[in-house]
Amino acid sequence: MVRTRFAPSPTGLLHIGGVRTALFNYLFAKQNQGSFILRLEDTDRERFVAEGVDQIVAGLDWVGLRPDEGFWITEGKPHSIDYIQSERHKSGIYQKYADQLIEKGLAYRSYISADGYEKYKDRSIKKGVPFIYRKTYEAEYHHKPRQTLYGDWPIRLDIEAVKGYFSEKKHPFLHERVDWDDEVRGAFSDDLSLMEDFIIIKSDGFPTYNFANVIDDHFMKISHIIRGDEFISSTGKHALLYEIFGWQSPKFVHLPVINGLDGKKLSKRTGDTDVLDYKEKGYLPEALVNFLALLGWNDGTEQEIFKHDELVQKFKLDQINTSPAVFDPKRLDWMNGYYIRSLSVEELYKRAADFWTAKAETATDSYKKRVLSLVQERLKFLAELATLTIFFFEAPSAATVRNFYKNPVDKQLIKNTPDLRHFLSATVEQLKDSDFSHADIQNRLNKLLKKLGTKPAILFPVIRIALTGSSVSPEIFGTIEVLGRNESLKRLDAALTALNQGA
């Protein structure tokens, strides 16, 4: 049975890269009718961030990646401390297996001080040789144990003893190297002579990541470990521990790095921010999931829009790329805009509830829905709603209107110098007998273009500035229709007054 896991460490907030990892684990589990497990790896107590736990839960919940098992489960299922490493640590499970290794002579308590460790490291650097920590470095410290911050000493795996152990057993797999396979990248082989005696239990008694995740993955019956490629350098250690304990190793899958447009690994500056930042900016979770699924995976077609069920149905490990994925914010904006346009106005209105300008508080629901339907085509993310619609709830100031007429942004207004007062007066005259339906407004303004002998790119910006005091707006006929007769004519008259006052 396929069992995958997402195992974040709450040393900070859940970012986009972590959500992509969780998503791939989720999709593979669901595609194979398996289980998606959420485990909290919180054994790094010095860097533990308490609010990070709630943020992880909130972030995964928002994008819809809800676990089948874990320390947080929805829909009435019980939460379980069995999936929290600090709680599992209390049971003594990690110490139990570390003690077994000590009893077999395959691990040892390390008495070297931090200063002593650095001394040996500096010596190797000066000699120009790799620094690979071995038990032999412990000789001068073994009879004078140091006092640590926690009153205990870390436990290290003894690589030379491990090599001897497998040599005596004539192990066909292990002697000088540890081999392991990546389901996407193929075969790997790590030279044990280059692997240091790594720590498995820290001086505070908590297990290291390299030790705890092997034990937990084994007892949680994880079938596939899908994680970022930054863990490739550690996977040889994990494969070695599986062999030492005689456990069946899960299958390994390492996802490609996500780069920014600058070609460098994704950072906060280029998009790898707190996942809930995207919620606050008004990105739709289904759009973000679709976008993240394509960062390192494709189904071999040109298709870009995948609904949830399609992703579950089509996701395959052998379609994961090995080359870096590129996080393109413009592509995310395009995709989010697509999903926004796909919503009904009623559904979009629900989603946009927290994104209106404060000026819209007194407006009726029906009026706001009309405004929303008019700007829906232009929205890339919901946080744009306030600035794109402010003029529907507040008339522009005289100073703003005068400034836009004095310093226009429209190319045709820059090239030409229309008689603004004449254009505005003619517009008022043309519209005063309109029924203010979209069709009648369009018909009347098109006739006005002929009367004035001008172009839409000249007349319509003149009208837009008077009505909105903005460099952009939805299409002009719809804007006038939504504003209505009284407000539209009032604003056109106010623009004339503003021009006269500024003369």
Side-chain angles (χ1 to χ4, degrees):
M1 183 176 181
V2 169
R3 290 171 62 82
T4 66
R5 50 75 162 174
F6 178 54
S9 177
T11 55
L13 301 179
L14 178 62
H15 285 197
I16 285 297
V19 178
R20 195 273 302 262
T21 298
L23 173 62
F24 280 32
N25 277 278
Y26 174 91
L27 291 176
F28 184 67
K30 298 304 175 186
Q31 204 271 337
N32 290 279
Q33 294 79 49
S35 296
F36 170 58
I37 294 147
L38 180 64
R39 184 172 75 222
L40 192 67
E41 298 194 338
D42 60 342
T43 57
D44 188 346
R45 305 309 292 177
E46 292 183 357
R47 297 196 300 150
F48 177 76
V49 178
E51 58 269 26
V53 179
D54 291 337
Q55 189 267 352
I56 289 168
V57 169
L60 292 179
D61 187 44
W62 175 59
V63 295
L65 302 182
R66 299 180 181 93
D68 301 298
E69 301 173 24
F71 70 91
W72 158 69
I73 307 176
T74 58
E75 299 176 359
K77 297 179 183 178
H79 298 201
S80 176
I81 62 173
D82 292 339
Y83 299 88
I84 301 175
Q85 282 187 342
S86 60
E87 295 294 336
R88 289 172 61 77
H89 163 71
K90 295 175 184 177
S91 72
I93 187 171
Y94 307 118
Q95 189 65 52
K96 171 185 174 181
Y97 286 94
D99 289 342
Q100 284 186 11
L101 294 178
I102 291 176
E103 290 170 9
K104 290 182 178 180
L106 302 180
Y108 60 92
R109 291 199 176 274
S110 179
Y111 299 117
I112 193 168
S113 65
D115 290 341
Y117 185 91
E118 290 300 322
K119 181 183 73 173
Y120 285 122
K121 184 177 180 180
D122 291 342
R123 187 182 300 173
S124 295
I125 292 173
K126 289 177 181 178
K127 289 181 179 179
V129 297
F131 176 61
I132 302 166
Y133 194 82
R134 290 286 182 260
K135 188 177 181 180
T136 52
Y137 288 122
E138 299 275 333
E140 65 179 281
Y141 294 91
H142 187 71
H143 298 294
K144 45 181 179 182
R146 62 188 176 87
Q147 184 68 27
T148 73
L149 178 65
Y150 302 98
D152 209 339
W153 301 273
I155 299 173
R156 292 179 181 270
L157 191 70
D158 189 338
I159 296 298
E160 291 299 329
V162 169
K163 288 165 64 177
Y165 174 77
F166 284 110
S167 178
E168 289 177 7
K169 289 181 172 289
K170 296 182 180 180
H171 197 287
F173 172 67
L174 257 167
H175 185 3
E176 296 295 333
R177 310 186 68 84
V178 57
D179 299 331
W180 57 275
D181 290 318
D182 185 287
E183 295 296 293
V184 174
R185 299 164 186 262
F188 284 80
S189 184
D190 290 352
D191 189 341
L192 292 183
S193 66
L194 299 178
M195 186 182 293
E196 74 168 2
D197 289 4
F198 58 91
I199 294 175
I200 57 176
I201 301 290
K202 296 176 290 184
S203 61
D204 61 1
F206 279 89
T208 59
Y209 164 80
N210 289 324
F211 195 58
N213 90 89
V214 169
I215 293 172
D216 288 345
D217 286 337
H218 171 70
F219 285 102
M220 293 179 188
K221 299 180 180 179
I222 302 301
S223 65
H224 293 74
I225 296 174
I226 304 173
R227 57 191 177 192
D229 66 359
E230 66 269 22
F231 292 101
I232 288 177
S233 61
S234 301
T235 303
K237 297 175 182 178
H238 307 159
L240 180 63
L241 286 167
Y242 280 109
E243 288 294 332
I244 292 171
F245 287 121
W247 295 338
Q248 177 67 44
S249 172
K251 295 184 177 183
F252 297 105
V253 181
H254 291 92
L255 306 178
V257 67
I258 304 175
N259 287 339
L261 290 176
D262 57 4
K264 299 177 181 177
K265 187 176 180 180
L266 198 65
S267 63
K268 290 183 180 181
R269 181 179 61 82
T270 54
D272 192 22
T273 61
D274 170 3
V275 62
L276 294 180
D277 285 346
Y278 288 89
K279 180 181 181 182
E280 292 176 6
K281 291 175 183 176
Y283 287 91
L284 304 186
E286 58 266 43
L288 186 62
V289 164
N290 189 161
F291 175 76
L292 291 177
L294 298 178
L295 291 182
W297 171 84
N298 68 69
D299 68 342
T301 72
E302 297 298 317
Q303 183 176 346
E304 291 195 82
I305 301 300
F306 292 86
K307 301 300 183 184
H308 178 275
D309 290 345
E310 278 188 292
L311 287 173
V312 170
Q313 179 185 3
K314 293 188 174 185
F315 186 82
K316 299 288 190 300
L317 292 182
D318 59 9
Q319 295 171 334
I320 294 175
N321 302 322
T322 57
S323 56
V326 177
F327 186 101
D328 184 348
K330 290 184 178 179
R331 188 178 182 216
L332 173 58
D333 287 349
W334 167 81
M335 191 171 287
N336 198 62
Y338 175 90
Y339 275 88
I340 286 175
R341 293 189 295 275
S342 300
L343 297 175
S344 67
V345 172
E346 290 293 332
E347 177 62 23
L348 181 57
Y349 186 65
K350 294 176 185 176
R351 304 262 196 129
D354 297 328
F355 293 94
W356 293 97
T357 172
K359 300 289 183 180
E361 288 182 1
T362 58
T364 64
D365 290 341
S366 60
Y367 180 73
K368 287 161 72 175
K369 287 176 184 177
R370 292 179 69 200
V371 171
L372 193 58
S373 65
L374 195 59
V375 301
Q376 185 171 9
E377 288 292 317
R378 303 177 66 91
L379 282 172
K380 297 189 295 295
F381 46 89
L382 297 181
E384 291 183 311
L385 184 62
T387 54
L388 284 179
T389 63
I390 179 68
F391 47 78
F392 284 104
F393 308 98
E394 180 180 41
S397 68
T400 297
V401 171
R402 281 197 301 268
N403 183 61
F404 268 110
Y405 283 141
K406 184 178 180 180
N407 304 291
V409 296
D410 302 272
K411 291 181 180 179
Q412 290 298 322
L413 287 189
I414 294 172
K415 286 183 180 180
N416 300 277
T417 53
D419 185 336
L420 299 173
R421 293 176 180 80
H422 179 52
F423 275 30
L424 290 171
S425 297
T427 301
V428 171
E429 187 67 23
Q430 190 75 359
L431 291 177
K432 67 180 183 181
D433 295 325
S434 171
D435 63 7
F436 273 77
S437 66
H438 190 282
D440 190 55
I441 293 167
Q442 183 175 4
N443 180 51
R444 286 172 178 269
L445 290 185
N446 283 336
K447 287 181 178 179
L448 183 59
L449 288 170
K450 293 181 180 179
K451 285 183 183 180
L452 297 174
T454 189
K455 303 174 184 176
I458 297 176
L459 174 62
F460 293 169
V462 172
I463 299 173
R464 185 199 69 232
I465 290 170
L467 296 177
T468 70
S470 173
S471 59
V472 294
S473 73
E475 54 95 2
I476 195 65
F477 312 126
T479 298
I480 294 171
E481 180 187 26
V482 170
L483 283 172
R485 171 191 297 277
N486 293 339
E487 189 64 24
S488 295
L489 295 178
K490 178 181 175 182
R491 292 188 185 188
L492 289 167
D493 286 335
L496 274 167
T497 302
L499 285 173
N500 291 330
Q501 291 175 342

